[in-house]
Amino acid sequence: EPVLWAHYADRHFGAAIELEISSQIGELHKVNYTNIRPLIPKKFINPDHTINQNGYGTIIDVLTTKSEAWSYEKEWRLFSGAPYWRKCGNLMIIDTPPNIFKKIILGCRCSADNFDEIYELISKSNQQGSEVWVALPDHKNFEMKIFPVSKH
């Protein structure tokens, strides 16, 4: 979807990652699209403004609900207990189980420097089985096509 690339991949300068998800990583939830905003009942809110454990399902409902205007995204959200983020060069990355990244899809405007940096990160990580692809605009239809790429 060209619109998703524009919204979430920095106008085609960024990348998208296709993940191989298992239940060991976290819980995967489909987003619900509605025009009614979910609320968190007061009984689930502690005096220190944290959410008590009885409110877990309600919190998931809140975090997986978006306006119907966004339904074209067909989004899923992954909730993981303890992500481990770290800075690597100009990027923030998460320590992940080996080969969870099935594909890394570069935007059609991704710079050569970012391309090289992504390849370097893959080679130094536990994601060496990842395939690198590039998304290019289709010349006949308003859609993106992906193609495998290799470093030089």
Side-chain angles (χ1 to χ4, degrees):
E1 288 285 332
V3 174
L4 295 179
W5 278 96
H7 282 288
Y8 297 110
D10 191 23
R11 300 176 328 272
H12 302 266
F13 288 98
I17 300 172
E18 181 180 328
L19 302 174
E20 187 71 41
I21 301 296
S22 75
S23 60
Q24 299 159 332
I25 296 166
E27 296 176 17
L28 193 60
H29 294 268
K30 189 174 184 176
V31 170
N32 176 43
Y33 299 98
T34 180
N35 286 326
I36 300 169
R37 186 183 300 270
L39 300 174
I40 302 172
K42 288 185 180 182
K43 66 182 179 181
F44 297 140
I45 302 173
N46 297 323
D48 64 355
H49 302 288
T50 58
I51 305 298
N52 65 49
Q53 292 202 358
N54 295 327
Y56 177 78
T58 301
I59 291 299
I60 295 298
D61 289 344
V62 169
L63 295 175
T64 58
T65 300
K66 291 176 78 170
S67 166
E68 284 180 0
W70 295 97
S71 63
Y72 65 89
E73 292 185 335
K74 301 174 190 153
E75 184 177 351
W76 288 74
R77 294 190 175 173
L78 177 66
F79 295 91
S80 183
Y84 298 98
W85 291 92
R86 62 184 166 92
K87 189 165 177 67
C88 186
N90 293 325
L91 303 173
M92 291 297 292
I93 61 173
I94 186 170
D95 289 327
T96 57
N99 297 317
I100 185 176
F101 292 3
K102 187 173 179 183
K103 288 181 187 166
I104 299 171
I105 307 166
L106 307 175
C108 59
R109 294 178 170 171
C110 185
S111 73
D113 288 342
N114 283 349
F115 179 84
D116 289 341
E117 189 169 2
I118 287 168
Y119 260 100
E120 184 178 337
L121 287 171
I122 292 169
S123 70
K124 293 179 179 177
S125 74
N126 62 356
Q127 302 302 323
Q128 292 159 358
S130 304
E131 301 172 6
V132 179
W133 294 59
V134 64
L136 298 173
D138 184 79
H139 296 292
K140 293 181 183 177
N141 301 301
F142 290 109
E143 62 186 21
M144 304 302 289
K145 299 283 186 182
I146 62 169
F147 301 93
V149 295
S150 60
K151 181 158 172 79
H152 311 282

